[in-house]
Amino acid sequence: MASHEKLETAQENEDMDIGRILGLLYDRKWLIIGVTFVFAMMGVIYSFVATPIYQANSLIEIESRPNASNAAGEIGNIFGNTGPKSVAEMQILQSRKVLGNAADRVNLQTIVEPKKVPVIGDLILRKNVKRPGFASNWSYVFGGEGINITRLVLPSRLIGYPLTVKVTGDQSYDVYAGGERVLSGLVGQLSQSSDGNVEVRVMNLNAPKGAEFIMYKRSDLSAIGNLKKRFSVEETGRSGTGILQLTLTGADALQIKDSLQAINEVYLEQNIRRQSAEAQNSIDFLKKQIPEVRENLSSAENKLNDYRVRQDSVDLTQETQSTLNQLVNVESQLNQLKFDEADLSQRFTKNHPQYQSLLEKKQQLNQEKENLQKRIDNLPETQQEILRLQRNVSVTQDIYVQLLNKLQELNIAKAGAVGNVRIIDDAVVHGPVAPRSTLVVLLFTIMGLVLSVLYVFVRAALNKGIEDPDELEKTGLPVYATIPLAEKQQSLTRSIKKSKVGKSTSVDTDVLAFHDSTDMSVEAVRSLRTSLHFAMMEASNSILMITGASPSIGKSFLTSNLAAVCAEAGQKVLLVDADMRKGHVHNAFNVKSENGLSDILSGAKDPQTVVKSTKHENLSFISKGKTPPNPSELLANVRFSEFASWANKNFDLVIIDTPPVLAVTDAAVIGKHAGTTMMVVKYETNSIKEVKTSQRRLSHNGIEVKGCIFNAVEKNMRNQYSYYNYSYK
C-alpha cells in the first residue's frame, strides 16, 4: 500500500514537472515568439544581402589507353590494366601543375575589387544600383562601374599587399601603396613606377573621378590553393566508368566558368603531351637499337657466307632446315618476352599473376629450345655449324624487321596522338547555389527558437525566487495568505502621480480596496484579515508589524489595503509608515509626508496632531514625516515606546509598515513593541535564503515571526492548478 502511494506521488511530481516546463514556455511565449521572429528576419536579411555563390560543372571521360601509344611493347594490351585509371587521373586534375597552369591562363593571381559601401556594398553592385547625385564625390564604387587590369607586375615585397587604384580622370588613374603614390597612368598604356619595379596596364576604365579600387597580386601557391579549395572532382555512376564530373564554385560566375574551362584544356593538353612523350621515348630507344641490330645482321651474314665458301657451299638438309625454322621461332618469342618482362618489371612484382604467366611461358620456350638444341647436337658437325650461322642470321634479321615495323608504328602514333581524355560537357554555370534562402531562413528561425527557449530555461534555473508557498511552509513559516498580483494598482499609482496633492487632512484615497472591492487581490487581503484575527488573539498588544527581506516587495500595498478592509469590518485602524527613509505609503492616500512619525519621535509634534483621517471614518494614517538623519536612533528613543502605547490604547488595530530587514535595523527595533510580526515574501523575487536570514536576524533580537504573506503571485501556466489562482464571484 505504501509503495503504491509512493508510486502515485512520484507520478504526480513528474506530471507537475512536465506541466511546469510547458507552463514556463507558455508564460514566456511572447518572448520566444519575438526572438524567433527577429532571428527569422535576420535570416531573410542575410539571404537578401549575402553574396550569392555560383557553381560551374563539366564532364570528362577517361578512355582506355590506345594501343598505338603503347606500341613499343604492346604489353598493355596483353598483360597490363587497360581500363580507366580514375583515381590517378583525379589526383592529376587536382595537382599543382594542372591548377597552376589554369590559374595562369585566367590570371587568378591578380585580384581587383571595388571599394564597397559598408554593409550593403555587395548588394549595390549585385543589383546594379547607379551612383546617386549626392555620392558623386564618394570613393565607393556603384553599379555599372568597373576597371579592367590586364597586367600587374610587383616586386616580391608587394606580393599580397593591397594597392589602391584611384580614378583621377576619364582616362587616367593613380596607384597608391600605403598612402604613397607609386605611379600615374593612362588607360591602354603600360605604366611603370620610377624604379621600374611596378608595372600596370589598364585596358578599360568606367568610373567617375574619385572612385577607388583595391588590387593585389597573390603568390602562385596562394592562387593555386584558393582554386583547389573551390575545386572538386568525383566519379559519376558506379566505380570504373571513367566519367569524371568537375565542379568549381565561386562568387564570380564568369570567372569560375573560364577557370573550369581552363582546367579542362590544360588537363587535355597535358594528357596528349603525355601520350606523345611515351611514343617519343620508344622512338628514341629504337633509333639507338636499330643501327646495332643492323650491324649484327651484317656480321652474321658475312660469317655464314665465309663458312659456305670454305666448305664449298654446304646446304642444309630438309630436316635440318625444319629444325632451324623452329629454333628461330622460339628465339623470336623469347626476345619478345624479354621486352615484355622489362616493361612488366616496372609495374608489377614477380608475384603478380601476369608476371607469373610470362615467366611460365618463358620457361616453356626455354625447354623447347633445349629440346631443339639436343636434336642439333646429334647432327654432323658441318650441319651444326651451318645451322648455327643460319640461325644467327635469321634471328637477327627477324629482330631487325620487327624494330623497323615498330619504329614506323610509333611515328604514326606520335603524329596522331589524341590522348585518352575526352571532354563530354564543357563548363556550364549553375546557380546561385548558395545561400539557399529557404534553408537559411529555416536555420535562423530554429536558432532563434532554440536560443529563446534556452534563455527561458537558464533564466528560470538561475532565478532563486520562491514560486510556490509550499517552499515557505517547508522552512517552518506558515503562509497566512497568498495575494495575487494587483494589476489595477498600476493604473491607480499613475493616477496618484498625476493628481494634485491635497491640502487638508481629509482626502480621497487611491487604495485599491476602496476602488474595487471585488478584485482578487482585495479578496485575498480579506482572507488575510480573517487569518490575522485568530493569529493576534494571544498577542501582547494590537500592534501588527509588517516587514520583509528586501525593498519593492509590496509591503505598502499590503498595509494600506489591509488597513482599509479591517476598517470596513468595523475596526478602528491606525496605519503607520515607519519607513522614515524611503516610505511612500502617503502616496496611496494622496497626502504629503510632512507632519508624521519622525516629528513625533523628535518631540516636535504630539501623536494626536499628526494623525490624518481618510475616506473611511475608521481608518487613520500617520505618514513618515520629514526624513531624519538618524532614523534608527529615533526609533530606539523612549518616545517610540510611548507612541506605541498611545496607539495601542486608542485604536483597535495598529499596522506598522517598516523598512526591509536585510537593509537596515529599523524593523528589529520596531518589532520589540509589536505584538505580532508578519513577513512579506514576493513571488519570484525573494529567495529561501533571504527569508531564513531575515527570520534569523529578527529572532536574534527577540522577535518571533508569526508567519508569511506570499505577495504579487502572477497567474500563469506554471501555477494554474494552485489554489490561490481560483476566484469566486
Side-chain angles (χ1 to χ4, degrees):
M1 186 68 179
S3 61
H4 180 68
E5 292 178 355
K6 289 182 180 180
L7 181 61
E8 289 183 348
T9 303
Q11 188 174 9
E12 183 180 353
N13 291 335
E14 183 179 353
D15 293 340
M16 290 181 64
D17 290 340
I18 295 175
R20 186 179 183 278
I21 292 174
L22 296 177
L24 181 65
L25 296 177
Y26 182 82
D27 294 337
R28 300 290 185 265
K29 60 181 179 297
W30 293 116
L31 171 65
I32 295 174
I33 292 173
V35 172
T36 303
F37 178 77
V38 169
F39 270 79
M41 289 298 99
M42 290 171 58
V44 172
I45 294 172
Y46 175 80
S47 299
F48 186 71
V49 175
T51 302
I53 302 299
Y54 297 90
Q55 184 182 80
N57 296 325
S58 68
L59 210 62
I60 65 175
E61 179 185 7
I62 310 298
E63 300 174 334
S64 300
R65 290 183 178 271
N67 294 341
S69 66
N70 203 21
E74 297 180 349
I75 303 168
N77 299 329
I78 303 173
F79 304 105
N81 180 13
T82 60
K85 298 183 178 180
S86 301
V87 177
E89 298 300 327
M90 289 166 65
Q91 296 300 319
I92 293 174
L93 275 165
Q94 300 181 77
S95 65
R96 287 197 300 269
K97 187 173 184 63
V98 173
L99 297 182
N101 290 335
D104 290 337
R105 290 195 180 188
V106 293
N107 195 19
L108 292 182
Q109 290 85 352
T110 301
I111 306 298
V112 181
E113 297 177 347
K115 185 178 180 181
K116 304 171 186 176
V117 177
V119 182
I120 60 173
D122 285 325
L123 183 63
I124 289 175
L125 296 175
R126 194 165 63 252
K127 298 298 182 180
N128 200 25
V129 178
K130 302 301 180 184
R131 182 183 293 267
F134 63 84
S136 58
N137 295 324
W138 287 11
S139 60
Y140 301 116
V141 176
F142 286 78
E145 301 173 359
I147 190 173
N148 181 20
I149 299 177
T150 58
R151 181 175 176 80
L152 176 61
V153 178
L154 299 175
S156 57
R157 61 182 178 84
L158 291 180
I159 296 296
Y161 187 84
L163 304 177
T164 301
V165 180
K166 184 175 183 180
V167 180
T168 58
D170 292 340
Q171 299 293 316
S172 60
Y173 60 89
D174 290 338
V175 177
Y176 294 86
E180 181 180 353
R181 188 170 66 179
V182 176
L183 59 84
S184 297
L186 296 175
V187 175
Q189 298 181 5
L190 180 64
S191 304
Q192 292 183 333
S193 59
S194 58
D195 56 5
N197 291 330
V198 179
E199 294 183 4
V200 178
R201 178 187 287 117
V202 175
M203 294 305 297
N204 295 298
L205 178 59
N206 181 23
K209 182 179 180 181
E212 295 182 2
F213 297 86
I214 308 300
M215 68 175 181
Y216 59 94
K217 195 174 186 67
R218 293 187 293 201
S219 64
D220 292 339
L221 284 178
S222 176
I224 294 172
N226 178 266
L227 183 60
K228 187 174 183 178
K229 184 171 61 176
R230 298 181 288 115
F231 177 64
S232 63
V233 184
E234 62 180 4
E235 188 173 10
T236 62
R238 59 185 180 86
S239 178
T241 59
I243 306 297
L244 303 182
Q245 179 170 296
L246 283 59
T247 304
L248 183 64
T249 59
D252 190 333
L254 180 60
Q255 186 190 74
I256 64 172
K257 179 181 179 181
D258 293 342
S259 300
L260 187 57
Q261 194 63 32
I263 292 174
N264 288 338
E265 294 171 357
V266 169
Y267 175 64
L268 179 61
E269 293 170 3
Q270 186 188 75
N271 183 265
I272 293 174
R273 286 197 301 269
R274 190 164 69 246
Q275 302 296 335
S276 299
E278 291 180 5
Q280 184 61 48
N281 291 337
S282 299
I283 290 172
D284 294 339
F285 173 76
L286 292 178
K287 286 183 176 180
K288 293 180 180 179
Q289 294 297 318
I290 287 175
E292 296 179 6
V293 175
R294 185 171 55 243
E295 184 177 349
N296 293 336
L297 177 59
S298 299
S299 176
E301 290 175 343
N302 291 334
K303 290 180 180 180
L304 176 61
N305 293 331
D306 290 343
Y307 184 77
R308 281 179 171 175
V309 170
R310 290 197 304 271
Q311 298 296 328
D312 194 16
S313 185
V314 177
D315 292 328
L316 297 175
T317 65
Q318 185 175 1
E319 181 181 358
T320 305
Q321 184 65 44
S322 175
T323 303
L324 174 62
N325 292 337
Q326 293 180 35
L327 185 60
V328 170
N329 184 37
V330 171
E331 290 280 359
S332 178
Q333 293 184 53
L334 286 173
N335 287 330
Q336 181 65 47
L337 287 179
K338 183 178 180 181
F339 287 112
D340 293 349
E341 184 178 5
D343 187 74
L344 279 178
S345 63
Q346 297 177 2
R347 292 185 293 159
F348 307 114
T349 64
K350 291 187 177 182
N351 295 325
H352 194 275
Q354 296 175 3
Y355 205 120
Q356 288 291 323
S357 177
L358 183 143
L359 293 177
E360 290 178 2
K361 187 175 181 180
K362 184 178 179 181
Q363 184 178 2
Q364 292 175 1
L365 293 174
N366 284 326
Q367 184 64 40
E368 187 176 351
K369 181 180 177 181
E370 290 179 4
N371 294 334
L372 292 173
Q373 189 63 44
K374 291 179 180 178
R375 290 170 58 185
I376 293 173
D377 291 341
N378 294 326
L379 294 175
E381 182 178 353
T382 305
Q383 290 292 314
Q384 288 185 30
E385 182 64 22
I386 195 67
L387 187 146
R388 184 182 65 78
L389 294 175
Q390 185 68 42
R391 181 195 63 184
N392 291 340
V393 172
S394 298
V395 170
T396 307
Q397 187 177 28
D398 187 55
I399 294 174
Y400 181 67
V401 171
Q402 287 184 12
L403 292 179
L404 290 177
N405 290 335
K406 292 188 182 299
L407 178 61
Q408 186 65 23
E409 291 176 6
L410 289 171
N411 285 325
I412 296 173
K414 178 183 176 183
V418 294
N420 66 325
V421 172
R422 183 165 62 96
I423 298 177
I424 300 176
D425 292 330
D426 289 328
V428 176
V429 177
H430 303 278
V433 295
R436 298 168 64 181
S437 301
T438 303
L439 181 60
V440 168
V441 174
L442 180 61
L443 289 177
F444 268 83
T445 303
I446 294 175
M447 186 186 302
L449 178 63
V450 171
L451 290 178
S452 59
V453 171
L454 185 63
Y455 169 78
V456 170
F457 285 146
V458 170
R459 183 178 177 183
L462 295 178
N463 183 18
K464 302 301 181 180
I466 301 171
E467 298 181 0
D468 194 330
D470 290 342
E471 299 179 47
L472 289 170
E473 296 280 359
K474 292 177 182 178
T475 64
L477 284 176
V479 178
Y480 275 73
T482 300
I483 313 298
L485 179 65
E487 298 177 354
K488 293 184 179 180
Q489 186 62 44
Q490 297 178 355
S491 60
L492 288 176
T493 303
R494 287 192 295 267
S495 65
I496 292 174
K497 292 181 179 180
K498 294 180 181 179
S499 64
K500 296 181 179 180
V501 179
K503 297 182 180 180
S504 63
T505 57
S506 179
V507 296
D508 291 333
T509 66
D510 283 301
V511 178
L512 183 61
F514 292 151
H515 284 266
D516 189 356
S517 61
T518 62
D519 187 83
M520 290 182 61
S521 301
V522 178
E523 292 289 351
V525 173
R526 288 194 180 95
S527 175
L528 173 63
R529 177 190 65 188
T530 303
S531 301
L532 288 174
H533 173 72
F534 295 99
M536 297 180 66
M537 291 182 66
E538 298 179 359
S540 59
N541 55 39
S542 60
I543 299 176
L544 171 64
M545 181 182 76
I546 295 181
T547 186
S550 59
S552 303
I553 59 175
K555 296 191 309 296
S556 300
F557 167 79
L558 278 175
T559 54
S560 59
N561 281 276
L562 178 61
V565 297
C566 290
E568 287 179 340
Q571 290 181 290
K572 188 178 181 182
V573 181
L574 175 64
L575 176 60
V576 181
D577 187 358
D579 188 354
M580 291 180 286
R581 291 176 173 83
K582 296 182 179 181
H584 56 273
V585 179
H586 58 277
N587 292 329
F589 297 95
N590 202 13
V591 297
K592 293 182 179 180
S593 63
E594 287 80 0
N595 297 326
L597 181 61
S598 63
D599 299 289
I600 297 174
L601 300 182
S602 64
K605 299 285 184 178
D606 291 329
Q608 299 87 342
T609 61
V610 299
V611 174
K612 301 176 178 62
S613 59
T614 64
K615 179 179 180 180
H616 201 284
E617 60 181 359
N618 288 336
L619 177 59
S620 300
F621 167 65
I622 295 179
S623 62
K624 70 183 184 68
K626 294 181 180 179
T627 303
N630 53 348
S632 298
E633 286 73 12
L634 286 178
L635 290 172
N637 194 291
V638 68
R639 291 192 183 93
F640 183 76
S641 178
E642 295 173 353
F643 165 73
S645 299
W646 172 84
N648 186 49
K649 292 179 181 178
N650 291 276
F651 294 90
D652 298 330
L653 178 63
V654 180
I655 301 176
I656 302 178
D657 185 8
T658 68
V661 176
L662 299 180
V664 291
T665 61
D666 295 12
V669 177
I670 297 172
K672 295 179 180 179
H673 304 281
T676 306
T677 298
M678 301 295 292
M679 185 180 298
V680 178
V681 178
K682 188 175 181 180
Y683 174 78
E684 282 191 340
T685 300
N686 294 123
S687 63
I688 292 294
K689 184 177 181 180
E690 290 177 335
V691 174
K692 288 184 176 180
T693 304
S694 301
Q695 183 185 12
R696 185 166 54 251
R697 185 169 296 182
L698 292 174
S699 178
H700 290 167
N701 288 274
I703 303 168
E704 179 187 1
V705 179
K706 195 71 175 179
C708 291
I709 304 170
F710 198 38
N711 188 35
V713 178
E714 299 180 18
K715 185 175 183 179
N716 50 42
M717 292 296 294
R718 280 169 290 170
N719 55 25
Q720 63 173 336
Y721 300 111
S722 301
Y723 66 91
Y724 47 82
N725 266 332
Y726 287 96
S727 63
Y728 181 78
K729 294 185 180 180

